[in-house]
Amino acid sequence: MAAIDMLLTSGSGPVECRIALMALVDIIKSEAGRLGYAVEVTLGHEPDRHGAKSAILSLEGRYAEALAEEYCGTVKFVFKSPVRRGHKRQNWFVGVQTVDLTVAAAVSVALSDVRFETLRAGGPGGQHQNTTDSAVRAVHLPTGIVVTARNERSQHRNKAIALRRLEAMLRVLADREVDMSKTQMFVANKALERGNEVKVFHL
């Protein structure tokens, strides 16, 4: 089954929005795990100790698309800033949208910049899941971005999928200084609406 890819972005928000984004990653991972979905998390490059400005969550499992749809839009978090004592603002926002990584791949990655690792395929599927060492993890050495492909039984095909996924994610999670006006990240940042949230979490 095809993975559903969700782009989470803190937009141009302050550090607290990155904290909220990382909390949302954990919330979605927990809910997906409870429902038996496989989850792969890719953080935007160069996250700091408070988290990343963006992340892509790839969900795989029956009805995973319905779960993703529940979070699409603006998610509001309510908490006091843990990094700016006395700061009055308590509302922080994260934008969520699904993205099609199959059409986002517009970045060419040099194979010399990628380390491929094989691992045992897993995820949902019970007795039908692939138990051979055919899954492939691709590590982009310059940025540290890691992706995994486990959909196919062929290691060769999974390697090709991992490379395409890495190219697409580098495109979506590209450095903000590199032609952001053409990235889906930029669209997500500009579409981040305050006051029209689909979910609210109090931390």
Side-chain angles (χ1 to χ4, degrees):
M1 61 190 73
I4 302 299
D5 297 303
M6 305 169 63
L7 171 64
L8 282 58
T9 174
S10 62
S12 56
V15 62
E16 291 86 356
C17 291
R18 298 204 298 279
I19 295 172
L21 185 146
M22 298 308 296
L24 184 57
V25 168
D26 289 339
I27 289 169
I28 297 175
K29 281 177 60 180
S30 177
E31 186 171 356
R34 180 176 56 80
L35 294 171
Y37 301 157
V39 185
E40 299 287 348
V41 179
T42 303
L43 299 180
H45 68 268
E46 297 182 354
D48 62 18
R49 64 190 179 90
H50 300 297
K53 294 180 179 178
S54 60
I56 286 180
L57 270 64
S58 298
L59 307 180
E60 187 175 347
R62 192 178 183 188
Y63 307 127
E65 187 172 1
L67 174 61
E69 290 291 335
E70 289 182 19
Y71 286 88
C72 285
T74 301
V75 179
K76 183 169 82 171
F77 282 81
V78 182
F79 60 88
K80 292 183 178 180
S81 173
V83 293
R84 293 186 285 175
R85 187 167 297 179
H87 191 63
K88 293 182 179 180
R89 179 178 167 185
Q90 296 187 41
N91 295 333
W92 317 101
F93 300 89
V94 178
V96 181
Q97 67 179 124
T98 58
V99 291
D100 185 354
L101 295 183
T102 62
V103 299
V107 173
S108 180
V109 176
L111 290 178
S112 59
D113 287 339
V114 182
R115 182 177 74 244
F116 292 100
E117 304 168 354
T118 59
L119 59 151
R120 179 151 297 198
Q127 64 181 350
H128 301 294
Q129 76 178 27
N130 185 0
T131 57
T132 64
D133 294 334
S134 62
V136 174
R137 178 185 293 123
V139 182
H140 188 239
L141 300 176
T143 63
I145 289 177
V146 180
V147 301
T148 303
R150 61 179 83 243
N151 301 73
E152 301 290 339
R153 294 185 177 273
S154 162
Q155 186 181 115
H156 179 75
R157 285 200 292 269
N158 278 332
K159 185 175 180 179
I161 290 171
L163 187 59
R164 288 202 308 271
R165 180 174 288 273
L166 180 59
E167 290 172 341
M169 288 186 173
L170 283 169
R171 174 62 172 165
V172 174
L173 300 175
D175 191 327
R176 292 171 179 234
E177 297 177 1
V178 182
D179 199 15
M180 275 198 58
S181 64
K182 295 182 181 179
T183 65
Q184 291 190 61
M185 173 69 81
F186 180 82
V187 174
N189 288 347
K190 292 301 183 184
L192 187 52
E193 297 180 36
R194 271 71 174 173
N196 192 28
E197 55 274 352
V198 295
K199 287 182 181 288
V200 178
F201 295 99
H202 292 260
L203 299 183

